[in-house]
Amino acid sequence: MPGQVRHARRTFSILSVPAAIIGRMHQFDEGFEPPEDCVLWCRNRTYDIHVLDDDALVDLDWWNRHLHEAEHDIRLRGRNYDGKVVEHGQATVLRNDLRLGSDLIEARHNGLGLLFLCAAWRSGHTRRRGARRFPDLSNRFVADGVQRYAGAMGAIDELIRLKRLPDYDYTTGTGWPALPNVGVALTTVLAWALDIRAAGGRVQLLDQHGVSTLIHQGWLEDPAVSGFTRRRYDRYLELLHHWATVGDTSPELVERWLVERWHARVVEARSGASAEPMLF
């Protein structure tokens, strides 16, 4: 994989999904099983390489310039091809770098720094649907002397403290963290990096390309990720966990297959040649 670097990583255990999660699947999802290609692809991949070492190329100068202009006390770093931490130019960020206390974040508020590292990783990923866009988290209506980013920092602190997504009581809130101008897809990257729980398991990334593959496979849902409610997202999580259980793999690898499969279909359409041998 281009730009892949190796270094010490945390150890993750792949936990089986409780039967209760599978038993309460949405009625439209009953009988919707993973394709054989998905199961074979996941079983022939490893969590360390294909999830933790999943890399993106990040323009550090662009991100750090925008962070400075927005008056954030944050600076992002990356890695060169040898895994050494660098501060300028094009650099690699691994999914394993997306965690509190990462060597690639220098910030007064670690959670806010992690959010921007997640944004940089997602926007630099060649397979995912994420344009390079700087999230504006400021609240311009705060009283004098109040930090413009206090609301976003408070929402991140609550995620870290509770280790779960907020409850989705629609009389009081949406169930998504109060992160202005972040969007659902980036929120799920941050939540995964923080090891947040929802629908009985760890949250998973929500990417438009992955959801498009699910729709193409026959999933009966609205395809627009930007409009995902918490209930719809929980249904999506339950489906990923179910497919992972059936395939004896991890939800992260299932989600990665969904994204890769969409990319392969795009390559097939552009080149006229089958992309399946590269994947399966």
Side-chain angles (χ1 to χ4, degrees):
M1 185 180 298
Q4 178 173 306
V5 295
R6 304 303 298 258
H7 60 95
R9 60 170 64 86
R10 298 168 295 168
T11 299
F12 286 82
S13 61
I14 307 303
L15 302 177
S16 59
V17 181
I21 295 178
I22 301 174
R24 63 179 181 174
M25 288 180 66
H26 193 283
Q27 61 178 341
F28 289 171
D29 297 338
E30 294 178 0
F32 185 39
E33 302 299 322
E36 182 180 357
D37 288 341
C38 174
V39 174
L40 290 175
W41 189 91
C42 292
R43 287 181 177 176
N44 283 281
R45 267 66 184 178
T46 64
Y47 191 88
D48 281 358
I49 293 176
H50 294 90
V51 175
L52 297 185
D53 276 358
D54 188 13
D55 63 339
L57 192 62
V58 172
D59 185 344
L60 295 176
D61 296 332
W62 188 93
W63 282 94
N64 286 323
R65 182 175 69 253
H66 280 74
L67 286 165
H68 176 74
E69 291 172 352
E71 299 180 351
H72 284 291
D73 189 11
I74 298 169
R75 187 167 183 82
L76 302 183
R77 304 186 182 99
R79 302 183 185 277
N80 62 17
Y81 290 147
D82 296 323
K84 181 181 177 181
V85 175
V86 295
E87 298 186 355
H88 301 284
Q90 302 283 330
T92 296
V93 175
L94 304 179
R95 186 163 171 179
N96 189 51
D97 290 315
L98 306 181
R99 53 189 170 84
L100 285 176
S102 172
D103 294 340
L104 305 189
I105 303 170
E106 179 183 339
R108 180 171 298 177
H109 189 277
N110 287 333
L112 201 59
L114 178 58
L115 172 62
F116 282 103
L117 186 64
C118 289
W121 177 84
R122 178 174 174 266
S123 66
H125 201 292
T126 57
R127 299 291 203 264
R128 296 185 178 276
R129 174 76 175 273
R132 188 169 63 176
R133 181 182 66 85
F134 188 81
D136 180 7
L137 305 175
S138 63
N139 180 355
R140 293 176 172 79
F141 301 101
V142 296
D144 291 342
V146 178
Q147 231 283 357
R148 286 190 299 161
Y149 308 110
M153 291 189 292
I156 296 172
D157 288 340
E158 183 178 29
L159 279 177
I160 296 171
R161 179 175 60 84
L162 296 178
K163 282 296 181 182
R164 61 177 176 81
L165 290 179
D167 296 328
Y168 47 91
D169 178 357
Y170 290 119
T171 63
T172 58
T174 66
W176 290 108
L179 296 170
N181 201 31
V182 169
V184 172
L186 177 53
T187 296
T188 63
V189 180
L190 173 66
W192 182 89
L194 293 172
D195 194 16
I196 301 302
R197 321 304 283 184
R202 186 177 186 172
V203 303
Q204 298 298 320
L205 274 55
L206 181 67
D207 189 271
Q208 184 62 65
H209 292 169
V211 171
S212 295
T213 295
L214 277 177
I215 300 297
H216 184 256
Q217 293 291 332
W219 196 41
L220 299 176
E221 249 305 349
D222 190 324
V225 163
S226 60
F228 260 53
T229 62
R230 268 296 313 287
R231 291 186 189 277
R232 191 179 306 163
Y233 177 64
D234 282 359
R235 177 185 170 190
Y236 165 82
L237 289 181
E238 290 160 7
L239 181 62
L240 287 190
H241 286 304
H242 175 70
W243 279 23
T245 301
V246 171
D248 191 25
T249 185
S250 70
E252 284 87 351
L253 282 172
V254 172
E255 192 274 339
R256 177 81 193 269
W257 177 83
L258 292 171
V259 171
E260 293 288 338
R261 188 69 194 103
W262 186 260
H263 176 76
R265 293 186 65 235
V266 171
V267 171
E268 290 169 2
R270 288 175 176 171
S271 66
S274 174
E276 288 190 354
M278 295 188 300
L279 286 173
F280 314 115

